[in-house]
Each structure stands twice: as structure tokens, then as C-alpha cells.
Amino acid sequence: SQIAIEKSLQLLKELRTTNGSVHEEIRQLLVKLLDEKPKDAYASLESLLGPIEATFNARESLPLVPQTSSASAAKTVATLNVFGPPDSRIDPDTGEAMEPEGTNDYECEDVEGDAELFDALGVGLGRREMTTIALTVKFLGEDLKRNVATVRFFGKFFGIQGDYFVFETTLKENPEMPEAPEGQVPYEPYGEGANAYVYYVCSYLGGPMTQLPYVLPSQIKAARAVKHFLTGKLDAPVSSYPPFPGSESNFLRCQIARIAASTICCPVGLFEADEETNEVNKAEEFTPKSGREMSLAINWSHRYSHLKMQGRCELYKREPPEELEEEADIEKFYNEEEREVPPPPLRTLDKDAPLYSQPILAVRAAKAVKEAGIGKPLPPPPVPATASGAANILPAWTSLSSSTAPGFQGLVGGVRSNTWPGAVCACRGTHFTNIYVGWGVKEEYYKPAPPPLVAPDFTELPAESNDLPPKPAAP
């Protein structure tokens, strides 16, 4: 029919060649044959169609799937291994498959259930990736060489050249912690404080796991003084000022300790702290709150210990000299870090320090420049005047809810950290969870450290002399 002919002609016009469309190529060939009128028109047409056919065959011979790099191939194989059955070992003597040695017994959280809560709040990594994470947690927990007791997915850190998937574990047998050099703040042992958990990371799910080193107080203090984007390579140096004592693996471990101490939370009343030892244990009785109530920061409390200025969770104080007997003299002997008054355990999130808005930061920066006497500062932007001043202050946590409809059943409530963008807490009934997905950079007013002072010149130059030094005495 005429419609089919028009559709065929339109298809020939849409098919592209090196010299235009297929329709144009055929039209030019027919015009040439009609002008030249060769004796063997079929042979001439076949010779003229040869270049077009070669071009078409070359295009059709291209692979449908583009060539991938070795790194992409490794990720694909790792994903297949995660979803597929474990490879059986082959006996080198008989060449037959050996029976598996068994798996490690461990405990873990409901990763699929956590994904459902995050998906309801519109945060996290998505249900598909969380399914792969759940299988990766299974592989890590069942590994007999790791010998872990518990596994929890901590979150994902973005990097410039690669990302990190972080898994929080506890070991059945904690190794010995080396002693700190004399004169330094002691290290916290494995299983306590900032080293309470052991963290494993991988660049892609199903890939090789790397255990991060333990964290030192000096490293945490140095990490607080710099802002640095991760590269995705654990052995990469940390280019910063002041210098950071360690590689990117140490810096990542510091950021994990800081984020965990600030953003790992639990519903109020689920845990209780001992009045004497401050040890946190699960409460015998707990009444869960509604999802709408759990979207308020006052109904959440910090679960992990506070990370102090020393870079430790447990405050360390030096032994004062014996000649100091007065309490006032002993108090003067301690430095600012040793005199720090820590917050109480399980403090609620509404007591966290708020963040100031940009106008207030601009006023503070202009004032600092003016006091330093560095040129003439620019006039600061106007600060909006409000009755309560709330417009100039951003709370440390923002409410999240799966629905704003009244009377919604199964509502999921949560809070999002503004201090550490990417940290989220979610809860529904007795099921609660935490996750971090971000760049590992704290949202704060950052003031770079000034460079060191310039060395002074010599007060007196040594006088020149032609006298030779005395000869050494004979042995």
C-alpha cells in the first residue's frame, strides 16, 4: 500500500551513512545508471554498492557492548561472586572438590529492614544496592579468617577517584594495643572508646576487604584541624596543613570515629547508663514512640561515647606532682584538655550545638579581619533581625518523616544531621538504624591554621678569622 511505501522511504531516509542517508545514496546510484546507461546494469550496480556495503558491514561488526576496563571487569566478577554460590576448593592431589570448612557465627542487623526505613524517608543508597550490601555483610561475617562477632553497615564515603563502603565490626578476640610513646596521651585499647569497633572497607561491593588501622588521639586532633577530600586510595598521602600524621587510611579512620561519636543515635529510653561507671546497657523496659514523635531531635539520644578534645572517649589526666597538695594548685597543673567537662552519656540531640547561618559567619569573619588589622574589611551583609533570632541559627538536626498525612499507619520518623551532612537516623516502632552517606567533611566555620612564624635573623654575625683551629691532642 501507499502507507507502507511511505514508511519504507522514511526509514531509508533515517538510516545514516558516511555520505548521508541510505535513501540519498540509492538515489544518486540510480541517477548515475540512468545517465550512463551501461550494457551490464546489474554488474555496474553491484560495483557501485560495494563501498556502501563495506561501510555497513564495518558498522554492524562493532561490538554491541563497549569494551570495559579491567577495573570494571573486576567489579562485575565481584558482584557475580556476591550473588552466586561460594566457589568450592579443589584438592590438588585428587583434583576433586573439597568440602567447605564451615562458616563463622556472627550477628548482624536487619539490612533489608534498614533499607525499607531509609527508602521510606527518601535517603540512603536504594533498595537494590542495600541488597548487595546485605550479601556483602554475609560474606564478611562468615569469613573464618576475620573471626568477627558482629557486623553492621556503617555507610559509604565518596572520594575523588573512588568510594569506600565501610563496615563496623567487633572481634571475638581483640589484639593487643601497643603502648604510646612516653609523654603522649595513652592509646585507647581495642574494644574501648574510639577503638571500640574494628572497621573494614572495600572500594566496591564484593571486592577485597581491608581492615583500617586503630586510631590514635594525635591523629584525631590533627584531623579536626584540616579539611580534606578523600581520594579513594588508602595508601595515598594526606596533603594538608597542619601535616596529618598518617596516610588516607588513618585519616578515614579518624573521620569514622568523629562521625560515629556525633551521629550514631538511638531512641530515648532504649538504653540506660550506669550512674557510677557510665556504662551503657539496654533498658529492661522500653515503650516505643510513634513515627511522628521520632522525627523530633528531643526523642533521640547519642549512643556512642563523646569524643573529647584529647582525641579519646575516656578522659585521661596526668598524675600531679607530690608537692602539689592544694586542690587549686592541682587544677592549675592540668591543661585545658584535661579540665574538659564531658557531656552526660545518652544526651539528647536537641542539646547539640547549632550551626550559624552565613550572615552571622560573614559578620564574624569581617570582625576577625578587622581585629587582625589586615587591610580594610568589606562591609558585612545585613543580618536579618527577628524576634527570637531563629532565622540566623540552623539546628544540628533536621526532622524527617515518611508522610505528613494525619493518621498515617506505619509512619517512619527520623532525623538528619546538619553538622555531618549525610548522617541519618530512622525509626519505626522498636526498629531503628543509622547510616552515613557523604564526603566525610564536617559542616562548620573553618579557619585555616596560620603558617609558622618566620625565623628571626642572627643578632650578631660571626667575625671572620684566618687563624686555623687547634690541632687535636695525640691519643
Side-chain angles (χ1 to χ4, degrees), residues 249-320:
S249 61
N250 302 104
F251 183 79
L252 175 60
R253 182 63 181 85
C254 291
Q255 298 303 89
I256 292 174
R258 298 175 63 196
I259 293 172
S262 301
T263 65
I264 300 298
C265 308
C266 62
V268 170
L270 182 61
F271 292 88
E272 56 186 8
D274 188 88
E275 296 181 358
E276 297 181 358
T277 62
N278 289 334
E279 185 178 354
V280 176
N281 297 308
K282 202 166 186 177
E284 296 181 359
E285 297 182 359
F286 170 70
T287 304
K289 294 180 171 58
S290 65
R292 203 166 300 280
E293 290 177 309
M294 293 310 299
S295 63
L296 302 177
I298 195 173
N299 293 322
W300 289 87
S301 60
H302 288 278
R303 184 180 174 187
Y304 289 2
S305 302
H306 173 67
L307 196 58
K308 300 172 178 57
M309 291 189 294
Q310 284 182 335
R312 290 169 50 100
C313 292
E314 184 179 353
L315 188 63
Y316 167 76
K317 289 187 176 182
R318 297 167 295 164
E319 288 290 337

Side-chain angles (χ1 to χ4, degrees), residues 130-143:
M130 289 297 287
T131 301
T132 312
I133 289 171
L135 295 174
T136 307
V137 167
K138 178 176 178 293
F139 269 64
L140 176 61
E142 291 181 348
D143 192 348

Side-chain angles (χ1 to χ4, degrees), residues 8 22 58 60 81 138 147 152 187 189 214 221 226-227 229 232 292 306 323 352 357 366 382 387 394 408:
S8 300
V22 175
E60 290 297 318
N81 291 336
K138 178 176 178 293
N147 197 28
R152 185 181 77 87
Y187 305 156
Y214 53 85
K221 293 173 64 176
V226 300
K227 277 200 172 184
F229 282 107
R292 203 166 300 280
H306 173 67
E323 57 268 16
D352 289 357
S357 61
L394 179 66
F408 186 83

Side-chain angles (χ1 to χ4, degrees), residues 74 101 106 119-120 155 159 169 171 194 200 227 262 280 324 326 383 410 429 443 447 452:
E101 298 179 355
Y106 70 101
D119 192 56
T169 69
L171 304 180
Y200 289 89
K227 277 200 172 184
S262 301
V280 176
L324 297 181
E326 298 293 335
V383 180
E443 181 67 27
K447 183 180 180 182

